Amino acid sequence: MGETPGTLDELARRAGKWLSLSAAAPERHTAAVVADRFDRITWRDTYEQSAALRELAEELNERYDRTRHHTTDLLTDVFLAAYKVNPRLRERAEMDPSRLVNHQVITSLVESREFAELRRETAGDPYAAAMAVLAQATALRRMLEATRGAQDKAEQARKAQQDAERAATAVAEALQQTAEESDGADEDGAQPTPPAADAVQQTIEAAEASEAAAQRAAQAAAQALAAAAPGIRIAARNAVSKAAEGARAEAVLMRAWGVGPGELERMPFGQRARLAERLRTSRLAEWAELIGRFRQMADGERARKVENATGELVGVTLGNDLSRVIPSELANLGLPALRAVFAARYAAGELMLYDSQGEQTTGRGAIIACVDTSHSMYEAGPGGITREAWAKACALALLDQARHAGRDFVGILFSAADKLKVFRFPADRPADVAQVLDFAETFLGGGTSYQRPLSAAGALLEEEFNDAARMRGDIVMLTDDDCGVTEEWMRGWNDAKHRLGFRVFGVAIGAPRVAETDSVLDALCDNLRAIEDLTDVHAAADLFRVI
């Protein structure tokens, strides 16, 4: 023990350092990512909605942190780092010592090259940020396991720091008590009683010992963390890479099925999680790439589409389209004696016109995709793509086509005469994602009947004409089989086509013989093509220019 100061002033000078520490102890933070109230509310709401996040937090707390809950703070930081547009980390000196491991983990995540790629998918999106946390769960477990020793030393440093702060407070309290006991004497010459002076001296020495212990604990914690840092950086980089890959894959999956970012943001957390799970785990997942290519192709064809294009001149025909009148007919207008003849021939539709072959005027009625789901459609072609997958990817691209044109869309799944399912997507309402998936997932099996689905399609176009006076619908038959129809049915079918002005396009999938000129499908369709390579989406490109 050192020599006891003789005056109160000397005691105060000796205790000055501890007085300042007790008066202005710096605020220590348990969160590495700086967040405002709204960020914290977003995390809290997301945490409450995600059972998976809660289960992960409980597991990590039980395994690595039963008392201090630093693992929950770590999950919060990982979420906010992914969610915030410009995440900012606190300085190490601002952190509670027990959270320095968290700070190192988050710093490693944020500084990895892959992190910017991850945030392209997660910034501003609570669901995507939560999924990023869950995607990094395995890596977080490994990092927490690898930093157990560093975390223990960080906890010891926290306790040592608290002891030092309490010791500083004790110095201030002892000095205050001594000053009160010496009240009435001149301040500079006040002589504290020996017991009081000894008490102050002892608290100062205790504070010095606590400070030294805190410094040793902080140094040990820093060394342990420095030793663990390379492993943390490697694990963080791998974790971010995996999370970015998962976020990117889910975004691609959603886009392939026509679910846009705006719709996803409005979707409740639970519904979005169920949708993502359904797309990832069902057989629909393997179709995503094909559907995405179909939609991309269809977008490109729409950009090339020209309404009422003249196309290639192939001869002369009769009609009343003044835009295609041949020059010799127009010359008649220059002769007063022949103007009346021109008018009469115009009224009768007997003007000579250039005949052309090319793009046709697109329809205005509903687009109806009749998709064969008989057993043979389950057969796979090149690249492992089934005929069903190709047909439904084409049908979903036709749904997009209808949306762009403001037309109703109907998907009719058929097989045998007793198996039919109709999915209606009116133009004036958003396409329900669950209904789209039901349409894509449904497979009826069995044989093949043309009459039942085509009759249903004709009835729908008849209904549309009666209700809205819309004509010129388009029916697309997607099948791999040919089957007979009765003569009576065929007469009624042709009458309906003439009356309602609809067109029928046929696609023979993986079955070239179905597209032969003497097939029933050829007789039913105005336009028929065969698809042999199921990896080629461009084989149906012209559909999206003329429908």
Side-chain angles (χ1 to χ4, degrees):
M1 183 179 294
E3 182 181 352
T4 302
T7 66
L8 187 60
D9 184 54
E10 292 173 348
L11 281 175
R13 280 195 298 273
R14 177 80 183 274
K17 173 182 178 181
W18 312 107
L19 294 176
S20 62
L21 287 177
S22 65
E27 182 182 4
R28 302 293 180 177
H29 296 277
T30 57
V33 178
V34 178
D36 59 26
R37 181 166 60 94
F38 299 104
D39 295 330
R40 291 190 290 273
I41 290 173
T42 299
W43 160 249
R44 195 160 53 245
D45 290 346
T46 305
Y47 184 82
E48 290 173 356
Q49 292 178 70
S50 174
L53 275 180
R54 295 195 301 275
E55 289 168 6
L56 177 60
E58 290 169 7
E59 176 206 335
L60 297 183
N61 281 335
E62 179 66 23
R63 231 165 150 189
Y64 303 106
D65 184 18
R66 295 187 179 185
T67 56
R68 294 292 299 164
H69 299 292
H70 76 270
T71 53
T72 302
D73 288 337
L74 177 60
L75 293 185
T76 306
D77 281 331
V78 175
F79 171 86
L80 291 174
Y83 170 72
K84 287 177 67 65
V85 175
N86 292 302
R88 182 171 67 85
L89 302 190
R90 298 187 192 281
E91 297 295 329
R92 283 175 56 88
E94 299 179 75
M95 297 299 297
D96 185 295
S98 66
R99 300 302 192 271
L100 288 176
V101 171
N102 288 7
H103 189 277
Q104 180 65 58
V105 170
I106 297 301
T107 300
S108 299
L109 291 173
V110 172
E111 291 180 350
S112 66
R113 291 190 304 272
E114 295 81 1
F115 188 72
E117 183 180 351
L118 171 64
R119 288 201 309 107
R120 278 197 289 271
E121 303 293 345
T122 62
D125 187 339
Y127 170 86
M131 293 303 104
V133 174
L134 296 174
Q136 297 173 81
T138 300
L140 291 174
R141 292 186 189 97
R142 290 174 182 162
M143 284 188 275
L144 288 170
E145 190 67 43
T147 56
R148 274 185 187 272
Q151 185 60 47
D152 289 343
K153 292 189 181 301
E155 186 63 30
Q156 291 168 12
R158 180 191 66 82
K159 292 178 179 177
Q161 184 183 68
Q162 288 181 337
D163 290 342
E165 290 171 356
R166 282 193 291 268
T169 301
V171 170
E173 291 174 349
L175 188 62
Q176 177 66 29
Q177 183 177 353
T178 300
E180 290 174 354
E181 290 175 356
S182 304
D183 190 28
D186 293 335
E187 185 176 331
D188 291 339
Q191 295 289 330
T193 63
D198 287 343
V200 173
Q201 178 68 15
Q202 289 171 7
T203 57
I204 290 173
E205 291 174 354
E208 291 171 343
S210 294
E211 180 189 38
Q215 289 175 346
R216 288 193 299 272
Q219 185 176 8
Q223 290 173 345
L225 191 55
I232 293 176
R233 282 193 290 271
I234 293 172
R237 188 165 59 250
N238 293 337
V240 173
S241 179
K242 180 179 178 181
E245 181 181 348
R248 189 167 53 250
E250 183 166 310
V252 168
L253 195 60
M254 292 295 182
R255 284 195 292 270
W257 286 97
V259 187
E263 185 176 0
L264 287 175
E265 289 176 8
R266 294 189 299 272
M267 197 177 291
F269 187 97
Q271 181 184 348
R272 184 170 171 182
R274 289 189 297 273
L275 173 61
E277 181 68 14
R278 182 178 181 183
L279 292 179
R280 280 194 302 268
T281 58
S282 73
R283 64 195 183 103
L284 301 177
E286 63 191 68
W287 298 356
E289 193 270 338
L290 176 66
I291 292 169
R293 286 195 291 122
F294 248 107
R295 285 185 152 141
Q296 186 177 14
M297 177 274 292
D299 280 341
E301 294 305 316
R302 274 192 290 274
R304 295 174 53 196
K305 190 171 183 177
V306 179
E307 300 270 349
N308 300 309
T310 303
E312 178 187 1
L313 297 178
V314 295
V316 176
T317 186
L318 299 178
N320 59 3
D321 186 349
L322 296 178
S323 67
R324 293 191 288 136
V325 174
I326 67 174
S328 61
E329 287 278 31
L330 290 174
N332 292 335
L333 288 174
L335 301 173
L338 295 179
R339 287 175 186 170
V341 176
F342 181 93
R345 293 178 66 185
Y346 171 74
E350 295 178 351
L351 293 173
M352 287 189 292
L353 313 175
Y354 283 121
D355 195 9
S356 63
Q357 178 177 293
E359 310 293 354
Q360 304 175 45
T361 303
T362 55
R364 286 293 176 266
I367 296 176
I368 302 178
C370 297
V371 181
D372 186 351
T373 59
S374 60
H375 283 312
S376 59
M377 289 290 286
Y378 202 69
E379 182 179 330
I385 298 172
T386 65
R387 296 172 179 181
E388 178 205 8
W390 196 98
K392 287 182 175 174
C394 183
L396 290 174
L398 288 169
L399 169 58
D400 286 349
Q401 190 84 350
R403 289 288 167 204
H404 280 276
R407 300 168 67 182
D408 290 350
F409 176 80
V410 181
I412 298 179
L413 304 180
F414 71 93
S415 57
D418 61 339
K419 293 184 177 181
L420 188 84
K421 193 153 188 181
V422 178
F423 295 82
R424 304 184 71 163
F425 299 89
D428 60 354
R429 293 200 297 272
D432 181 70
V433 177
Q435 188 184 12
V436 171
L437 296 181
D438 287 341
F439 168 67
E441 278 189 309
T442 301
F443 189 82
L444 301 176
T448 306
S449 168
Y450 283 175
Q451 289 187 193
R452 180 85 188 279
L454 289 174
S455 294
L460 288 167
L461 293 176
E462 181 92 48
E463 177 187 328
E464 183 180 38
F465 175 73
N466 293 334
D467 291 347
R470 280 198 299 270
M471 298 177 63
R472 291 166 51 203
D474 290 308
I475 299 172
V476 181
M477 277 287 287
L478 298 140
T479 182
D480 69 341
D481 200 1
D482 203 34
C483 62
V485 295
T486 66
E487 289 185 11
E488 181 182 0
W489 182 89
M490 194 68 175
R491 285 194 297 271
W493 175 252
N494 288 331
D495 288 344
K497 280 186 67 178
H498 179 73
R499 185 174 68 257
L500 299 173
F502 61 79
R503 299 175 297 178
V504 183
F505 298 84
V507 184
I509 306 170
R513 65 175 182 80
V514 179
E516 294 174 356
T517 54
D518 60 348
S519 69
V520 173
L521 188 61
D522 180 59
L524 288 169
C525 296
D526 304 297
N527 183 304
L528 177 62
R529 83 272 345 269
I531 306 298
E532 296 186 51
D533 182 0
L534 301 189
T535 64
D536 182 14
V537 300
H538 292 279
D542 62 311
L543 281 176
F544 299 92
R545 291 196 300 271
V546 298
I547 290 180

